[in-house]
Amino acid sequence: MAHAVTPSSDTNSGPTPVAYEQALTKYEPVLGLETHIELGTASKMFCSCSTKFGAEPNSQVCPVCLAFPGSLPVVNAKAVESAIRLGLALNCSVAPWGRFARKNYFYPDMPKNYQISQHDEPICVDGHLDVSVDTPEGLREYRVEIERVHMEEDTGKSTHVGGSTGRIHGASHSNVDYNRAGIPLLEIVTKPITGTGEYAPLVARAYAAELRDLARSLGISDVRMEEGSMRCDVNVSIHQRGTSEWGTRSETKNVNSLRSIERAVSSEVERQAGVLDAGHSVVQETRHFQEHLGRSTSGRSKEEAQDYRYFPDPDLVPVAPSTEWVEELRAGLPELPAAKRARVKAEWELNDTELRDLINADAIDLVEATVAEGAPSGEARKLWLNELSRRATEQEIELRALAITPAQVARVIALVDEGTLTNKLARQVVEGVLAGEGGPDEVVEARGLKVVSDDGALGSMVDEAITSNPDAAEKVRGGKVAAAGALVGAVMKASRGQADAGRARELILEKLGVS
Ligand code: ADP
Ligand code: MG
Ligand code: ZN
């Protein structure tokens, strides 16, 4: 068994948390979300190194992202374009002029010892994102105000070797991979979110889901939370109901799933209520969300902006997007998620519950792509929401990460519609595709899954069923047609579900002289 490592400053040994509902009777939460989105550009933020994931460590590096003296950064135009498009989609104003800043701090996986970011001159400011929250009293709309969208670069990645926990404590040495150093990031910061009361965790979650969908619809990132291409820092404070002064906030770093965002808020409300009820004060600090605990533990006490000694980066020219370019980008924005939801609701004739199920399953794009491949929307919805959602849950992955494409799903549906597959056989085909056995047609072929409807093969199975069920056969001959069900059942069983049940029934009646 791995031995436990005691975190150096875990304040969880502090006062007992107050149960969520009870905490909410006395306190009002205020939230703030800072979200990092890793852009899907081909090259890094300030050099031409590839951003491709999964390469040999330190194979995608150059003098700029390794910070060799004398090397000079150049801004990636595509990253600026992505920042502006996201800002526009978030209803922000785009700054006509702004500089990058150096944010100075030491980190072994950041070779310059400063991060190029934007400080007081972010590219986009003052927007909003409307989210709807599925509460027990129905859908509720909230407007989340956006403070800023700014550009920055990612750091490299450290791996701590030799300890039992993978953490730095107890490790014998650390390896650093700079492939990620310099990958473009957007940081989206909300203004304080107030007035959400007990729904604060749900609002935080809905905001992150909406932002993810927005970035995805713009095609600027693959926004996979579980792979770290979107991560949230969750700020939470609480204050007594009826008072106007907000409490001290904590910031839970790098929360990596929608569920964890929800938990990070609710567990922090519970913890802070415990601290305040015990007569202590909440400490401003960063915390780390522990997936296995479903809550955060204490990290470092928070730096102030002045600790970073920000100053404009003298190596980079200012970013000054022209009005024409911004307007061109605005005109080129795709259909955004809210508009798409309204459209598919009408097109597919969905009621509120059906739409909500699709949203909760994150399945709208998948169903839409399946419909584009020729499937009827009702059947596409059914397959994605039932069988495929079940499989994704089983594999603990997102629906879209399943190893089946919308085109393959459409093909399975077509095979059922044309009578080649029954629903039961279709499930086996899906299983085969997911197991990497090829496309639907290949799986049908390899597993021999076609519905047996040719009279030759079916006929001998019917004969067999009649011989081995003489009682049922006799009843049918005597006019009790309902008894044929038992014979059809026997045929289905013998064919392991592959017989065409309708044709089998016709043959049974024919052979028994009742048709
Ligand atoms: P920093 O850069 O130190 O993380 P910011 O001022 O950018 O700090 O704020 C971080 C986030 O916390 C923002 O989303 C902001 O709206 C939010 N925030 C600010 N004050 C509070 C508060 N008292 N309670 C909860 N959230 C807050
Ligand atoms: Mg912050
Ligand atoms: Zn480089």
Side-chain angles (χ1 to χ4, degrees):
M1 211 187 105
H3 52 88
V5 173
T6 314
S8 47
S9 61
D10 188 347
T11 52
N12 292 287
S13 47
T16 314
V18 177
Y20 187 73
E21 256 111 74
Q22 198 190 330
L24 262 292
T25 59
K26 187 163 169 196
Y27 299 105
E28 176 74 29
V30 175
L31 306 176
L33 285 123
E34 300 167 90
T35 308
H36 284 97
I37 290 180
E38 200 178 278
L39 292 177
T41 52
S43 59
K44 291 186 181 180
M45 188 70 216
F46 301 110
C47 62
S48 56
C49 289
S50 167
T51 57
K52 209 155 182 272
F53 184 77
E56 184 74 5
N58 299 309
S59 62
Q60 293 168 175
V61 291
C62 75
V64 173
C65 53
L66 289 179
F68 286 8
S71 63
L72 286 171
V74 176
V75 178
N76 181 336
K78 193 80 189 167
V80 176
E81 181 188 292
S82 300
I84 295 175
R85 291 177 70 232
L86 182 65
L88 291 172
L90 287 168
N91 310 289
C92 290
S93 346
V94 178
W97 192 90
R99 288 169 300 185
F100 284 96
R102 290 187 179 179
K103 183 181 187 180
N104 295 280
Y105 61 105
F106 172 78
Y107 226 68
D109 47 23
M110 193 177 63
K112 290 195 292 286
N113 283 339
Y114 60 84
Q115 179 187 28
I116 306 178
S117 181
Q118 291 188 294
H119 177 47
D120 46 5
E121 300 167 18
I123 184 140
C124 302
V125 294
D126 292 335
H128 63 261
L129 182 62
D130 292 329
V131 303
S132 75
V133 175
D134 194 4
T135 74
E137 295 110 66
L139 286 185
R140 286 204 184 185
E141 303 290 327
Y142 292 89
R143 173 157 292 186
V144 175
E145 306 284 343
I146 304 295
E147 167 97 32
R148 57 192 276 153
V149 176
H150 73 247
M151 299 177 280
E152 57 184 41
E153 54 176 344
D154 211 344
T155 59
K157 195 178 169 191
S158 303
T159 318
H160 307 297
V161 187
S164 58
T165 59
R167 302 209 299 191
I168 198 162
H169 305 279
S172 60
H173 63 285
S174 301
N175 293 328
V176 190
D177 175 7
Y178 291 110
N179 284 352
R180 201 178 66 184
I183 288 189
L185 295 177
L186 294 185
E187 179 169 343
I188 304 98
V189 183
T190 69
K191 293 186 179 162
I193 307 169
T194 59
T196 57
E198 62 181 308
Y199 297 131
L202 294 178
V203 172
R205 180 189 180 130
Y207 165 78
E210 191 68 25
L211 185 59
R212 174 198 65 188
D213 291 355
L214 194 65
R216 195 194 277 148
S217 75
L218 295 168
I220 59 174
S221 168
D222 61 11
V223 278
R224 297 219 171 102
M225 292 196 80
E226 75 286 4
E227 287 174 12
S229 56
M230 169 167 155
R231 38 199 202 254
C232 284
D233 299 344
V234 181
N235 295 267
V236 178
S237 70
I238 60 172
H239 58 275
Q240 287 232 353
R241 278 182 184 269
T243 62
S244 56
E245 202 179 318
W246 297 341
T248 303
R249 73 177 197 269
S250 68
E251 178 180 358
T252 304
K253 286 292 205 184
N254 292 329
V255 186
N256 271 334
S257 70
L258 295 179
R259 200 186 127 66
S260 296
I261 289 175
E262 205 179 318
R263 288 289 298 141
V265 174
S266 59
S267 65
E268 191 53 12
V269 167
E270 293 171 344
R271 186 189 69 85
Q272 291 184 11
V275 170
L276 294 181
D277 279 1
H280 303 301
S281 342
V282 172
V283 181
Q284 180 163 344
E285 61 179 357
T286 61
R287 302 182 62 83
H288 301 288
F289 193 74
Q290 309 288 346
E291 285 292 337
H292 62 290
L293 300 176
R295 61 172 171 81
S296 61
T297 54
S298 175
R300 64 193 153 99
S301 66
K302 180 74 181 158
E303 295 83 358
E304 298 289 336
Q306 68 213 24
D307 298 328
Y308 292 120
R309 318 307 298 182
Y310 282 105
F311 65 89
D313 193 313
D315 288 345
L316 286 158
V317 294
V319 179
S322 69
T323 315
E324 297 79 64
W325 188 37
V326 172
E327 288 317 310
E328 198 182 300
L329 293 177
R330 192 195 305 275
L333 290 179
E335 182 185 36
L336 300 180
K340 175 181 279 197
R341 286 194 295 267
R343 177 175 56 77
V344 301
K345 183 167 192 265
E347 271 178 20
W348 301 342
E349 298 172 0
L350 306 177
N351 61 33
D352 287 349
T353 314
E354 290 166 334
L355 181 65
R356 189 195 57 199
D357 289 347
L358 275 179
I359 294 171
N360 290 344
D362 191 15
I364 291 181
D365 291 345
L366 294 166
V367 172
E368 198 180 33
T370 309
V371 170
E373 295 288 342
S377 66
E379 288 167 53
R381 271 195 300 126
K382 216 187 300 163
L383 202 50
W384 282 108
L385 290 185
N386 300 336
E387 180 65 9
L388 292 167
S389 287
R390 191 177 62 74
R391 302 259 179 194
T393 308
E394 237 167 56
Q395 295 180 34
E396 293 180 26
I397 56 174
E398 287 183 15
L399 194 54
R400 63 187 51 240
L402 277 177
I404 190 166
T405 64
Q408 290 170 330
V409 174
R411 181 65 187 146
V412 171
I413 292 169
L415 289 170
V416 174
D417 284 349
E418 73 189 33
T420 307
L421 295 177
T422 58
N423 283 325
K424 194 168 164 206
L425 292 175
R427 282 199 288 277
Q428 294 183 47
V429 174
V430 165
E431 181 188 85
V433 174
L434 292 177
E437 294 168 24
D441 291 285
E442 289 164 280
V443 175
V444 167
E445 198 57 42
R447 291 198 179 190
L449 291 178
K450 273 200 183 71
V451 169
V452 180
S453 55
D454 79 286
D455 287 356
L458 216 45
S460 43
M461 285 194 260
V462 166
D463 292 340
E464 177 69 35
I466 290 174
T467 333
S468 42
N469 296 279
D471 293 353
E474 207 38 55
K475 282 183 191 156
V476 178
R477 278 200 195 89
K480 274 192 138 185
V481 178
L487 298 171
V488 175
V491 171
M492 293 312 289
K493 196 169 173 201
S495 70
R496 282 192 268 109
Q498 281 172 244
D500 177 338
R503 185 64 193 141
R505 188 181 167 84
E506 283 168 14
L507 286 176
I508 289 165
L509 296 181
E510 238 168 68
K511 283 175 193 275
L512 297 175
V514 243
S515 52

